[in-house]
Amino acid sequence: MRIAIASDHAAIALKAVLAEWLRAAGHEVDDLGPHDGASVDYPDYGYKLADAVASGAADRGVALCGSGIGISIAVNRNPKVRCALVSEPLSAALAREHNDANAIAIGARLTGEAMAIACLEAFLSTPFAGGRHQHRVDKLGNPTPANPTKA
């Protein structure tokens, strides 16, 4: 798989660890930056990551910042990208299985390296279940609110 990865300055070290793990697992990694510790604005890198995933240049995306919150908001501005903020493997797996997430966000100040790798492994190895989840995912990419449905 081709994986795009981006961060802000707070997550440079975690980005390097995850990129190395991805390469060792046989994935092609597109590091969208930043490439040094200078202070940057997380939306800039979130938008770059979203563009890579939405355009098909990357199959999946990994977004990192201090908390994971800010960059996940930036990535999710693109209606073709479904980025889930995760902190443990179950949420990463469910993001794929139920929501067909094509990107995940992780907070470098909140999630250790081993847990981040476990999240990434669960995210990449879990297929989308489709079925009853498909129509819900379809609604996520539709900017027009759908009519409410009965449960």
Side-chain angles (χ1 to χ4, degrees):
M1 243 187 276
R2 184 172 174 101
I3 312 295
I5 190 167
S7 71
D8 70 356
H9 54 278
I12 290 282
L14 183 59
K15 180 168 65 86
V17 168
L18 295 181
E20 181 180 323
W21 183 87
L22 286 164
R23 288 184 186 102
H27 299 286
E28 187 176 343
V29 177
D30 189 5
D31 185 342
L32 302 177
H35 303 291
D36 61 38
S39 182
V40 297
D41 296 332
Y42 62 81
D44 298 338
Y45 292 91
Y47 297 152
K48 285 172 74 169
L49 183 85
D51 288 345
V53 173
S55 72
D59 300 307
R60 301 274 188 274
V62 180
L64 310 163
C65 70
S67 67
I69 297 167
I71 202 164
S72 69
I73 292 169
V75 172
N76 279 315
R77 296 277 186 189
N78 189 314
K80 292 183 179 181
V81 183
R82 294 168 305 282
C83 181
L85 174 58
V86 302
S87 59
E88 38 65 40
L90 180 58
S91 60
L94 290 173
R96 282 287 309 132
E97 185 179 355
H98 291 186
N99 310 114
D100 197 18
N102 48 15
I104 58 170
I106 300 172
R109 292 180 177 148
L110 306 174
T111 307
E113 291 177 1
M115 185 59 73
I117 290 169
C119 290
L120 188 50
E121 187 171 31
F123 173 69
L124 295 175
S125 66
T126 304
F128 175 49
R132 64 189 171 103
H133 303 288
Q134 185 63 60
H135 81 277
R136 297 170 185 147
V137 171
D138 292 342
K139 288 181 178 184
L140 294 173
N142 182 355
T144 307
N147 291 328
T149 59
K150 294 181 181 176

